[in-house]
Amino acid sequence: MHIQVVLFDGFDPLDAIAPYEVLYAGGTASNGAVTVELVTAEGPREVVSGTGGLVLRADGALDLERADMLVVPGASGRVGEPGEVPEEDAGAGQWKQDEFVPVLLGRTLATGLPALLKQAMDDPGITVATVCGGSLVLALAGLLEGRHATTHHLGLDMLDATGAHAVRARIVDDGDLVTGAGVTSGLDLGLYLLEREVGPRVAHAVEELFAHERRGTVWRAQGPTPSAL
């Protein structure tokens, strides 16, 4: 299974690196059954994150012929106070540090990423996974209508507003769409993907290596609807 972690300008570093490192370790534990790389929609380049100008290099291009799974991170920047209005958008390629997260996420719509994500979502052979605001990238592109998903708790209303069914859970498994909540859920997402795609023994070995126990029940649309508690 080949997994591509998709970077874009203003991405959140932990959203990308946490699942990348978990999945990379899973590849070692599974004798190469999992491979993972950092990519962008534009191809190999240095990508500036939204956290202090930290730069990661993507060594490949998002390639739906090669990828079995995509992992889309969210953005990092200013959250803002309730009612605070973001500054005017400077336009694609002209963003600056400490911009509002919704602005950074929305700017991906002016790139080639949404079209590639739509192709991936339409392909039953590709699973799309997200961390934190990564699900909002899909939602803003109109790709999550009617789907169950989660995101950072501050973005759940925005997710609902796009026609998605927002679920307040750490990980939501909606078949070929698997979404994680807040930033550190990237660790849990990576471990769950290893368990789901490779098996619990490999996932457990990586869990032990990282000294991190996956938190919470993975939400799926299965079983009876619970009564109010």
Side-chain angles (χ1 to χ4, degrees), residues 145-208:
E145 186 170 355
R147 301 298 299 265
H148 294 93
T150 192
T151 189
H152 190 284
H153 64 90
L154 293 177
L156 289 170
D157 288 344
M158 185 184 298
L159 200 59
D160 263 330
T162 66
H165 300 302
V167 181
R168 192 176 288 272
R170 183 83 166 164
I171 303 292
V172 172
D173 184 337
D174 197 38
D176 60 359
L177 172 70
V178 185
T179 55
V183 182
T184 59
S185 69
L187 290 168
D188 296 14
L189 178 81
L191 289 167
Y192 174 66
L193 292 174
L194 287 179
E195 178 182 349
R196 191 180 96 152
E197 303 295 337
V198 185
R201 295 175 68 182
V202 167
H204 182 260
V206 176
E207 185 177 77
E208 282 197 311

Side-chain angles (χ1 to χ4, degrees), residues 99-175:
E99 285 192 295
F100 284 79
V101 168
V103 172
L104 294 171
L105 294 174
R107 196 165 296 149
T108 63
L109 302 181
T111 72
L113 181 57
L116 290 168
L117 292 175
K118 184 180 188 308
Q119 291 180 50
M121 295 286 288
D122 290 341
D123 188 332
I126 297 178
T127 296
V128 177
T130 68
V131 182
C132 199
S135 59
L136 294 175
V137 173
L138 298 174
L140 291 170
L143 302 178
L144 290 191
E145 186 170 355
R147 301 298 299 265
H148 294 93
T150 192
T151 189
H152 190 284
H153 64 90
L154 293 177
L156 289 170
D157 288 344
M158 185 184 298
L159 200 59
D160 263 330
T162 66
H165 300 302
V167 181
R168 192 176 288 272
R170 183 83 166 164
I171 303 292
V172 172
D173 184 337
D174 197 38

Side-chain angles (χ1 to χ4, degrees), residues 7-106:
L7 304 183
F8 55 85
D9 294 324
F11 74 96
D12 187 293
L14 188 56
D15 285 4
I17 289 300
Y20 176 91
E21 192 164 351
V22 169
L23 294 167
Y24 184 88
T28 301
S30 62
N31 296 315
V34 175
T35 55
V36 60
E37 65 174 333
L38 300 177
V39 303
T40 75
E42 300 79 22
R45 67 181 179 95
E46 291 190 340
V47 190
V48 183
S49 77
T51 301
L54 178 69
V55 175
L56 291 182
R57 176 162 182 82
D59 291 324
L62 198 166
D63 185 348
L64 301 179
E65 296 293 323
R66 297 177 56 231
D68 300 297
M69 180 182 295
L70 304 180
V71 177
V72 183
S76 61
R78 293 180 64 193
V79 175
E81 299 296 329
E84 190 173 1
V85 179
E87 298 174 15
E88 184 178 350
D89 190 348
Q94 301 177 36
W95 65 279
K96 55 186 179 297
Q97 293 296 313
D98 295 326
E99 285 192 295
F100 284 79
V101 168
V103 172
L104 294 171
L105 294 174

